[in-house]
Amino acid sequence: MNVFHLALATILLLNIAAGLVRILRGPTPADRMLAAQLFGTSGVALMLLLAQAQSSPALRDVALVFALLAVLATVAFVRRTWRSSAQEPS
Protein backbone atom coordinates (compact mmCIF):
# COMPACT_ATOMS: atom_id res chain seq x y z
CA MET A 1 0.00 0.00 0.00
CA ASN A 2 2.93 2.36 0.51
CA VAL A 3 3.68 2.41 -3.22
CA PHE A 4 0.07 3.40 -3.93
CA HIS A 5 0.20 6.26 -1.42
CA LEU A 6 3.52 7.51 -2.74
CA ALA A 7 2.22 7.39 -6.32
CA LEU A 8 -0.78 9.49 -5.30
CA ALA A 9 1.57 11.90 -3.51
CA THR A 10 3.53 12.29 -6.74
CA ILE A 11 0.34 13.10 -8.63
CA LEU A 12 -0.52 15.72 -6.02
CA LEU A 13 2.93 17.28 -6.40
CA LEU A 14 2.33 17.53 -10.15
CA ASN A 15 -1.01 19.16 -9.37
CA ILE A 16 0.75 21.74 -7.21
CA ALA A 17 3.21 22.41 -10.03
CA ALA A 18 0.29 23.06 -12.40
CA GLY A 19 -1.15 25.48 -9.84
CA LEU A 20 2.16 27.32 -9.72
CA VAL A 21 1.83 28.03 -13.44
CA ARG A 22 -1.60 29.55 -12.81
CA ILE A 23 -0.24 31.75 -10.03
CA LEU A 24 2.53 33.05 -12.27
CA ARG A 25 0.31 33.66 -15.30
CA GLY A 26 -2.76 35.09 -13.60
CA PRO A 27 -4.58 36.85 -15.29
CA THR A 28 -6.76 38.07 -12.39
CA PRO A 29 -6.16 38.10 -8.64
CA ALA A 30 -9.09 35.70 -8.22
CA ASP A 31 -7.32 33.16 -10.45
CA ARG A 32 -4.23 33.49 -8.32
CA MET A 33 -6.23 33.02 -5.13
CA LEU A 34 -7.92 29.90 -6.45
CA ALA A 35 -4.50 28.50 -7.32
CA ALA A 36 -3.35 29.29 -3.78
CA GLN A 37 -6.40 27.42 -2.49
CA LEU A 38 -5.33 24.52 -4.71
CA PHE A 39 -1.98 24.62 -2.91
CA GLY A 40 -3.76 24.43 0.41
CA THR A 41 -6.03 21.52 -0.43
CA SER A 42 -3.33 19.62 -2.29
CA GLY A 43 -0.89 20.24 0.56
CA VAL A 44 -3.36 18.86 3.10
CA ALA A 45 -4.05 15.81 0.94
CA LEU A 46 -0.32 15.30 0.40
CA MET A 47 0.41 15.44 4.12
CA LEU A 48 -2.41 13.00 4.88
CA LEU A 49 -1.15 10.56 2.25
CA LEU A 50 2.39 10.77 3.56
CA ALA A 51 1.15 10.34 7.13
CA GLN A 52 -0.64 7.15 6.11
CA ALA A 53 2.29 5.85 4.06
CA GLN A 54 4.83 6.47 6.83
CA SER A 55 2.51 5.79 9.79
CA SER A 56 3.38 9.19 11.21
CA PRO A 57 0.66 10.91 13.25
CA ALA A 58 2.74 14.11 13.37
CA LEU A 59 2.13 14.65 9.65
CA ARG A 60 -1.61 14.61 10.34
CA ASP A 61 -1.05 17.54 12.68
CA VAL A 62 0.87 19.33 9.94
CA ALA A 63 -2.08 18.72 7.60
CA LEU A 64 -4.43 20.34 10.12
CA VAL A 65 -2.16 23.38 10.36
CA PHE A 66 -2.08 23.63 6.55
CA ALA A 67 -5.89 23.53 6.48
CA LEU A 68 -6.11 26.35 9.02
CA LEU A 69 -3.56 28.44 7.12
CA ALA A 70 -5.49 27.97 3.88
CA VAL A 71 -8.65 29.29 5.53
CA LEU A 72 -6.81 32.30 6.94
CA ALA A 73 -5.27 33.08 3.55
CA THR A 74 -8.69 32.99 1.92
CA VAL A 75 -10.22 35.27 4.54
CA ALA A 76 -7.33 37.73 4.19
CA PHE A 77 -7.70 37.76 0.41
CA VAL A 78 -11.44 38.35 0.56
CA ARG A 79 -11.09 41.15 3.10
CA ARG A 80 -8.40 42.83 1.02
CA THR A 81 -10.34 42.48 -2.23
CA TRP A 82 -13.62 43.61 -0.69
CA ARG A 83 -12.00 46.67 0.84
CA SER A 84 -10.29 47.73 -2.39
CA SER A 85 -13.46 47.19 -4.48
CA ALA A 86 -15.52 49.23 -1.99
CA GLN A 87 -13.05 52.14 -2.19
CA GLU A 88 -12.98 52.30 -5.99
CA PRO A 89 -15.23 55.04 -7.41
CA SER A 90 -17.99 53.80 -9.67
Side-chain angles (χ1 to χ4, degrees):
M1 204 60 162
N2 277 344
V3 174
F4 178 70
H5 289 135
L6 293 176
L8 286 176
T10 304
I11 291 170
L12 285 171
L13 282 174
L14 293 173
N15 193 17
I16 289 173
L20 181 62
V21 171
R22 176 50 62 191
I23 284 181
L24 294 175
R25 290 185 61 196
T28 66
D31 290 332
R32 290 185 173 102
M33 186 59 217
L34 285 175
Q37 280 299 106
L38 174 70
F39 280 3
T41 55
S42 296
V44 169
L46 183 65
M47 286 296 126
L48 290 174
L49 279 172
L50 291 176
Q52 186 67 29
Q54 297 178 357
S55 300
S56 175
L59 287 177
R60 288 189 185 103
D61 295 337
V62 172
L64 286 172
V65 171
F66 277 4
L68 288 173
L69 288 175
V71 169
L72 291 176
T74 303
V75 169
F77 173 78
V78 169
R79 288 189 62 163
R80 179 178 165 232
T81 304
W82 194 346
R83 230 182 254 150
S84 65
S85 66
Q87 293 174 354
E88 290 176 4
S90 298

